């Protein structure tokens, strides 16, 4: 009997199988959904939760080192224009994308150490700086540039985070990843 948790939800059908480049040290749940026609790259020690969807139909997806992509997230969503262009989504190192967040394709860049809150939406072409925090249900319009260390609240209010805790957050993320690696059954070969 395995001590790892398994989903009770039915399997989700997938679209075309994308080309992938995975580090040997990633953790990717068997029930994660990878679709599309462009390359999906996941760097070392990153964790992809069950039911996370990475869709490379609109462009390549690159996930940095020690990132955590939670369940029901959508990376590479096609924006409201509905156009499919060769546009990318890039997550820097130590990025956390929390439950049900959506990041549209369109050369969208999420900077190192940034946390995307539960249910947040990042529009196509947005550039989020390093070590930013988006609280739950925050919406960033397409093409917006957010400076480093910005905290954005769901009501649109903003402030600069001057606490200087970036290194502590990264160490905490590394510890969280160690726990997740023991909890999430992984099968990267399924996606190759």
């Amino acid at each position: 009997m395995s001590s790892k948790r398994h989903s009770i939800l039915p399997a989700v059908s997938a679209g075309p199988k994308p080309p992938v480049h995975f580090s040997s040290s990633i953790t990717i749940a068997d029930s994660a959904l990878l679709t599309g026609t462009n390359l999906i790259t996941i760097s070392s020690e990153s964790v992809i939760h069950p039911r996370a969807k990475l869709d490379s139909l609109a462009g390549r997806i690159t996930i940095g080192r020690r990132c955590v992509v939670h369940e029901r997230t959508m990376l590479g969503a096609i924006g409201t224009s509905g156009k499919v262009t060769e546009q990318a989504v890039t997550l820097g190192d130590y990025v956390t994308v929390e439950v049900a967040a959506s990041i549209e394709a369109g050369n969208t860049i999420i900077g190192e150490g940034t946390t995307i809150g539960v249910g947040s939406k990042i529009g196509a072409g947005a550039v989020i700086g390093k070590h930013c925090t988006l609280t739950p249900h925050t919406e960033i319009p397409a093409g917006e540039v957010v400076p480093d260390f910005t905290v954005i609240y769901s009501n649109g209010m903003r402030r600069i985070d001057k606490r200087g805790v970036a290194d502590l957050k990264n160490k905490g993320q590394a510890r969280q990843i160690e726990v997740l690696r023991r909890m999430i059954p992984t099968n990267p070969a399924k996606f190759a």
Side-chain angles (χ1 to χ4, degrees):
M1 179 177 224
S2 173
S3 63
K4 297 188 178 197
R5 297 175 9 177
H6 296 279
S7 177
I8 60 171
L9 298 173
V12 178
S13 61
K17 194 171 187 177
V20 296
H21 182 267
F22 293 159
S23 167
S24 61
S25 62
I26 69 162
T27 301
I28 183 166
D30 196 49
S31 60
L33 184 60
L34 278 61
T35 63
T37 55
N38 294 289
L39 180 65
I40 296 176
T41 302
I42 304 176
S43 299
S44 62
E45 300 182 52
S46 289
V47 176
I48 310 298
H49 278 258
R51 305 285 179 229
K53 183 174 183 181
L54 283 62
D55 186 348
S56 69
L57 183 62
R60 73 187 186 293
I61 295 175
T62 304
I63 298 175
R65 290 181 51 245
R66 291 186 170 171
C67 292
V68 178
V69 178
H70 286 269
E71 56 274 1
R72 295 186 296 123
T73 59
M74 173 59 169
L75 299 186
I78 295 174
T80 54
S81 70
K83 292 183 191 173
V84 176
T85 58
E86 290 294 316
Q87 307 275 332
V89 171
T90 303
L91 303 185
D93 297 341
Y94 292 96
V95 170
T96 299
V97 183
E98 293 184 347
V99 176
S102 174
I103 301 175
E104 294 180 355
N107 290 331
T108 308
I109 299 171
I110 310 299
E112 175 184 337
T114 291
T115 300
I116 308 296
V118 173
S120 292
K121 181 180 177 188
I122 312 298
V127 177
I128 310 297
K130 294 179 181 180
H131 303 288
C132 293
T133 302
L134 280 61
T135 63
H137 306 289
T138 297
E139 292 193 20
I140 302 297
E144 183 168 341
V145 177
V146 177
D148 294 349
F149 299 99
T150 302
V151 178
I152 303 177
Y153 299 95
S154 60
N155 63 3
M157 298 285 293
R158 297 173 184 225
R159 69 174 177 84
I160 299 298
D161 187 350
K162 298 177 183 176
R163 297 176 297 164
V165 295
D167 288 337
L168 288 174
K169 284 176 64 177
N170 289 352
K171 287 177 184 176
Q173 178 116 338
R175 280 192 232 122
Q176 180 188 21
I177 287 170
E178 287 305 313
V179 171
L180 292 172
R181 290 180 68 145
R182 290 191 298 268
M183 291 178 62
I184 298 174
T186 186
N187 183 14
K190 170 188 172 184
F191 302 101

